Amino acid sequence: MDVFIQQLINGLTLGSIYGLIAIGYTMVFGIIGMVNFAHGDVFMVSSFIALICFLLVTTVLGITSIFLALAIVLVVAMFFTSLTNWAIERVAYRPLRGSFRLAPMISAIGMSIFLANFVQVSQGPRNKPVPPMVTDVIVLMDNNGYQVTLAWKQVIIMAVTAVLLMGFWYLVQKTSLGRAQRAVEQDRKMAALLGINVDHTISLTFVIGAALAAVAGVMYLMYYGVAHFADGFVPGVKAFTAAVLGGIGSLPGAVLGGLLIGLIEVFWSAYFSIEYKDVAAFSILAITLIFMPQGLLGRPEVEKV
Amino acid sequence: MSDTRTAAPAPTAAPAGGAEPMLAVRGVKTFYGNIMALKGVDVDVHRGEIVTLIGSNGAGKSTLMMTIFGQPRAREGQIVYDGRDITKMPTHEIAHLKIAQSPEGRRIFPRMTVFENLQMGASVDGFGHFDEDLLKVFDLFPRLKERINQRGGTLSGGEQQMLAIGRALMSRPRLLMLDEPSLGLAPLIVKQIFDAIRELNRAEGLTVFLVEQNAFHALKLAHRGYVLVNGLVTMTGAGRELLERPEVRAAYLEGGKH
Ligand SMILES: Nc1ncnc2c1ncn2[C@@H]1O[C@H](COP(=O)(O)OP(=O)(O)OP(=O)(O)O)[C@@H](O)[C@H]1O
Ligand SMILES: [Mg+2]
């Protein structure tokens, strides 16, 4: 029971991070039908932006309040990651729109390699550590030495994720920007006929996806305390799995899928074998694709138009 | 039928004759790949007019409607609106000139509610008159009010047609383009829609460009009409005048009363 609760906490924390990344995959797929293979690397870039910003804020500016520092890091990382993704869309995907369907995906693979290599060369091939940011833990239970703990950083991750997801949900469902985004997703030509600038709306989708990935990047850095140039790949594929499991194109599906993948991963590690935790995630991707390609919350293929 | 006849404006009363047209299509050629769908089309729509375009299936009517919005773009020729060349203008900017279209196939956003679809229509107008315009649309189509929270994709065909027209009206257009508004609607609703078009034109001076299969009703409603055959305009004239022509009667009004 103790182990179960502890793993539940860990799984939800990890799942929050996957869910935030998964939204970027699912939104981009929804609006231009492309699997953005570079999205995991955009997430990795954001954790480096966060790392650099954190070091600057704490050393150069000398800010000692960890919460203020984190807030600044979050805003700065969201801004620069969004800018990066906006630029990527402009140079690597937009010129290929209207080309054959695989062209932008191949370009995305190229972009993924470019980002990973660029960070490897400019930041070095090793793990880059940051000083521990939030170290306090709350002991929830203590059973003959086995402690169930809830770390403050886990609380922060879940709280920030929940708040941002609500804000994001409001943006997509209730504002005219979000409506335009959904309109372009559902019928691009009609949206244009109604005065929606389709190019801007697609850019906006990349910007929003990157901002959420940046939140994940900051949380990841805070949780693990290191950034590494290859960290785009495995979390990226897991978040992609989450998007597919939840139903690609579905926003609630991405969050649900993220939480499930996070939970499956930690429970697998706890009860079976930690070495095979990535295999578990990838098996789920394969099983979903074969038996349930529309995912848990994906929409049925047929629709009356 | 005699009541509609008296209510309809006299065909010779087409306003603004002689002045520069609101919309001028000049020698427009449109291609799908290598196939030429429009082979040099000329059409004028003057301010305050109702103009209809009739023609059989595949003549290129919808292609002309969409070409005016640059989807697809005219490969040759010119489209001038309000004295501005819009041939190469981006589609969304054309919409901001207050031209609205209820397109072929209706193109309702399937995963948005009726209300959201109407909101989409109002986006070019900046929501300045949203509540007022919403009431007008609901007056015209009370059915939409009952269905306000239903998703567009689950509406019946006729309800979708009403929504497409309502959505176009929500933008407060100066030029309203309707591609087969009577398609799939019950005769009573068709009459309602045609009466509404006439009323909007009479009371607010709304300019209307209408594509119709229902040639009898359309030509009776319109000040002027064009007949499109195989991507070319073969006949033009006052609505009633075309209605009397034997060629038109034979080709588009076969079976007498419609
Ligand atoms: N996307 C497309 N690709 C290729 N050909 C097309 C496309 N759209 C239309 N066409 C062709 O262009 C021609 C004109 O089509 P259009 O839809 O404009 O006809 P229409 O007059 O609106 O007919 P209808 O009364 O059936 O709606 C047809 O021969 C059609 O097959
Ligand atoms: Mg048509």
Side-chain angles (χ1 to χ4, degrees):
Chain A
M1 192 60 200
D2 315 335
V3 181
F4 179 84
I5 292 172
Q6 183 66 64
Q7 296 313 324
L8 194 65
I9 293 169
N10 296 348
L12 290 175
T13 309
L14 197 56
S16 301
I17 293 175
Y18 292 154
L20 286 168
I21 309 174
I23 287 174
Y25 280 109
T26 230
M27 280 184 99
V28 165
F29 184 86
I31 203 160
I32 53 175
M34 161 190 154
V35 178
N36 183 5
F37 290 106
H39 190 62
D41 297 278
V42 169
F43 155 78
M44 176 275 295
V45 167
S46 80
S47 67
F48 274 91
I49 294 173
L51 181 141
I52 293 165
C53 179
F54 182 78
L55 294 179
L56 284 178
V57 164
T58 48
T59 57
V60 179
L61 297 182
I63 290 174
T64 47
S65 158
I66 199 74
F67 290 102
L68 181 61
L70 266 179
I72 296 172
V73 167
L74 199 58
V75 172
V76 170
M78 285 169 85
F79 177 77
F80 283 104
T81 310
S82 296
L83 196 66
T84 308
N85 214 26
W86 176 83
I88 290 173
E89 193 270 333
R90 285 303 295 264
V91 300
Y93 310 146
R94 190 181 295 183
L96 297 170
R97 213 174 287 153
S99 173
F100 65 106
R101 209 176 143 73
L102 275 179
M105 296 204 206
I106 294 166
S107 183
I109 292 172
M111 195 41 85
S112 160
I113 296 169
F114 167 79
L115 289 173
N117 281 329
F118 175 77
V119 172
Q120 182 182 13
V121 169
S122 63
Q123 301 296 315
R126 291 165 206 270
N127 272 337
K128 283 245 170 181
V130 279
M133 300 185 197
V134 185
T135 47
D136 296 346
V137 294
I138 309 163
V139 178
L140 295 178
M141 281 187 230
D142 195 340
N143 251 351
N144 315 319
Y146 185 88
Q147 288 185 335
V148 176
T149 60
L150 175 62
W152 266 106
K153 57 188 181 184
Q154 294 178 312
V155 177
I156 294 174
I157 290 174
M158 288 186 255
V160 168
T161 304
V163 168
L164 279 165
L165 284 181
M166 279 189 278
F168 166 75
W169 188 248
Y170 179 83
L171 176 78
V172 170
Q173 291 298 323
K174 300 291 177 200
T175 67
S176 51
L177 271 184
R179 216 161 37 234
Q181 205 273 338
R182 285 182 290 141
V184 172
E185 183 185 322
Q186 293 173 33
D187 187 341
R188 195 188 291 183
K189 202 186 273 189
M190 190 64 224
L193 245 53
L194 293 172
I196 303 302
N197 187 332
V198 171
D199 281 341
H200 282 181
T201 308
I202 292 173
S203 286
L204 178 77
T205 302
F206 277 83
V207 163
I208 294 175
L212 292 176
V215 177
V218 174
M219 299 298 132
Y220 193 83
L221 182 72
M222 180 181 74
Y223 199 49
Y224 293 110
V226 289
H228 186 246
F229 79 93
D231 269 357
F233 182 69
V234 170
V237 176
K238 285 180 187 161
F240 175 67
T241 305
V244 172
L245 178 63
I248 192 120
S250 159
L251 299 179
V255 179
L256 177 68
L259 292 176
L260 286 175
I261 294 290
L263 288 169
I264 290 165
E265 181 177 331
V266 296
F267 278 108
W268 183 280
S269 309
Y271 291 109
F272 299 107
S273 77
I274 196 158
E275 290 84 11
Y276 287 103
K277 69 185 166 79
D278 294 348
V279 175
F282 297 137
S283 313
I284 289 165
L285 177 60
I287 292 167
T288 313
L289 286 173
I290 294 168
F291 295 107
M292 202 177 45
Q294 80 281 9
L296 294 170
L297 302 182
R299 49 179 183 263
E301 285 298 312
V302 265
E303 201 151 49
K304 189 163 152 194
V305 182
Chain B
M1 277 300 150
S2 59
D3 56 337
T4 32
R5 188 154 301 191
T6 42
T12 45
E20 141 193 300
M22 182 183 221
L23 176 75
V25 177
R26 294 275 174 268
V28 161
K29 294 185 182 169
T30 302
F31 289 76
Y32 292 113
N34 288 324
I35 299 165
M36 186 160 29
L38 298 180
K39 301 169 180 167
V41 170
D42 291 280
V43 166
D44 281 354
V45 179
H46 292 273
R47 283 171 195 81
E49 261 190 327
I50 302 176
V51 173
T52 188
L53 180 69
I54 60 171
S56 47
N57 294 123
K61 304 181 297 295
S62 302
T63 302
L64 177 59
M65 298 293 263
M66 292 306 280
T67 302
I68 291 168
F69 272 89
Q71 301 269 0
R73 274 197 196 282
R75 200 177 286 179
E76 273 177 53
Q78 222 188 6
I79 300 164
V80 179
Y81 176 77
D82 251 353
R84 288 168 78 166
D85 187 347
I86 61 166
T87 324
K88 298 207 164 63
M89 194 181 263
T91 302
H92 66 273
E93 287 180 23
I94 296 174
H96 280 274
L97 301 174
K98 293 298 183 90
I99 313 180
Q101 178 167 181
S102 161
E104 172 162 65
R106 308 181 280 254
R107 306 193 89 132
I108 297 303
F109 298 111
R111 293 181 297 285
M112 285 195 193
T113 63
V114 167
F115 185 70
E116 287 175 318
N117 269 282
L118 292 171
Q119 281 182 312
M120 285 307 300
S123 15
V124 278
D125 190 51
F127 297 95
H129 316 272
F130 185 77
D131 295 332
E132 188 189 327
D133 294 347
L134 193 65
L135 288 181
K136 271 198 201 165
V137 169
F138 285 162
D139 250 7
L140 197 56
F141 304 117
R143 188 101 188 130
L144 291 182
K145 193 175 180 179
E146 294 163 26
R147 306 267 146 186
I148 186 155
N149 288 319
Q150 191 172 330
R151 277 149 65 103
T154 62
L155 292 175
S156 80
E159 288 163 347
Q160 288 192 345
Q161 187 72 70
M162 296 177 203
L163 182 54
I165 298 170
R167 182 177 60 185
L169 286 172
M170 287 304 287
S171 67
R172 303 212 142 192
R174 294 180 50 234
L175 171 61
L176 176 64
M177 302 185 17
L178 302 170
D179 195 338
E180 304 204 29
S182 70
L183 192 73
L185 293 180
L188 193 68
I189 308 283
V190 173
K191 183 174 177 319
Q192 245 179 51
I193 288 180
F194 277 53
D195 286 347
I197 294 171
R198 183 178 292 121
E199 181 57 23
L200 285 166
N201 172 260
R202 201 185 50 76
E204 302 179 16
L206 179 65
T207 312
V208 181
F209 185 31
L210 178 73
V211 163
E212 259 304 332
Q213 288 286 331
N214 197 332
F216 178 72
H217 276 116
L219 287 172
K220 240 173 41 159
L221 171 73
H223 299 109
R224 288 189 307 111
Y226 290 85
V227 178
L228 193 67
V229 177
N230 246 323
L232 276 172
V233 172
T234 55
M235 260 183 277
T236 172
R240 265 114 201 288
E241 196 183 300
L242 287 178
L243 206 50
E244 302 305 323
R245 295 230 196 140
E247 316 91 283
V248 174
R249 299 195 75 90
Y252 307 106
L253 301 170
E254 207 67 315
K257 286 228 165 164
H258 279 245

